[in-house]
Amino acid sequence: MLATIKKEAATAKAPIRAVDIIALAKSRCGIETQSRAMSDLIAGTLTVGGRGPRISLNEHLSEAYKRATTAIILDAVLQEGELTNVIVEYSDGYLPEMTERARNPLMPEKLFRRAYEEKKSCGPLRPTLLAVIFQVPLTEVFKRIVDLGLYKG
């Protein structure tokens, strides 16, 4: 009996968890993050200077949108190749288009594929469950499904 339990424990997969993009910004880029009051037209900013680079996120955003905004800002920094001031504004009430590169750290391919398969039996609720697991906006889950060629429409 004990041998069976040990065998099952050894083969069990770790639970799928969202990547902590805020910790990633700090550990990999040295960028502090904070939430604060902002205009409803601004999702977030990156300011460089003073006490070091700092991402400020609109305090009224959901956690999923704060994560998406952080990924958009980090993607802009990677695109520029250096730390520079960035403002992420809403356009018609929506965040700007996230690139596939910005979605990668939020929904790593290997983990996303595994979760996608594990939630197969959930049918049409699968994308919503994936949005909850990865703590991202639902629209980004649909785009990630397309990015990875998982949609068989």
Side-chain angles (χ1 to χ4, degrees), residues 59-141:
E59 66 185 9
H60 299 294
L61 294 177
S62 69
E63 287 306 309
Y65 278 91
K66 285 179 182 176
R67 289 170 46 75
T69 301
T70 301
I72 290 169
I73 290 170
L74 292 177
D75 182 48
V77 169
L78 285 173
Q79 201 169 10
E80 291 294 321
E82 63 181 323
L83 287 173
T84 183
N85 292 329
V86 177
I87 298 175
V88 178
E89 296 178 296
Y90 284 103
S91 175
D92 297 323
Y94 295 98
L95 282 176
E97 180 81 21
M98 280 181 80
T99 65
E100 182 177 353
R101 186 173 62 196
R103 282 189 287 278
N104 284 339
L106 294 175
M107 298 172 277
E109 181 176 355
K110 189 175 178 181
L111 284 178
F112 191 85
R113 285 183 183 277
R114 187 177 127 208
Y116 187 82
E117 277 305 307
E118 287 178 6
K119 301 303 176 197
K120 183 186 267 184
S121 65
C122 298
L125 290 177
R126 179 164 43 176
T128 303
L129 292 171
L130 293 172
V132 171
I133 290 168
F134 290 100
Q135 300 173 18
V136 296
L138 183 59
T139 55
E140 297 307 325
V141 168

Side-chain angles (χ1 to χ4, degrees), residues 21-34 45-48 51-56 70 73-78 82-84 86:
I21 194 80
I22 305 297
L24 189 68
K26 173 70 174 154
S27 66
R28 298 276 175 95
C29 305
I31 301 173
E32 296 287 339
T33 306
Q34 67 182 8
T45 63
L46 170 66
T47 52
V48 180
R51 294 175 281 158
R54 181 175 305 276
I55 293 174
S56 297
T70 301
I73 290 170
L74 292 177
D75 182 48
V77 169
L78 285 173
E82 63 181 323
L83 287 173
T84 183
V86 177

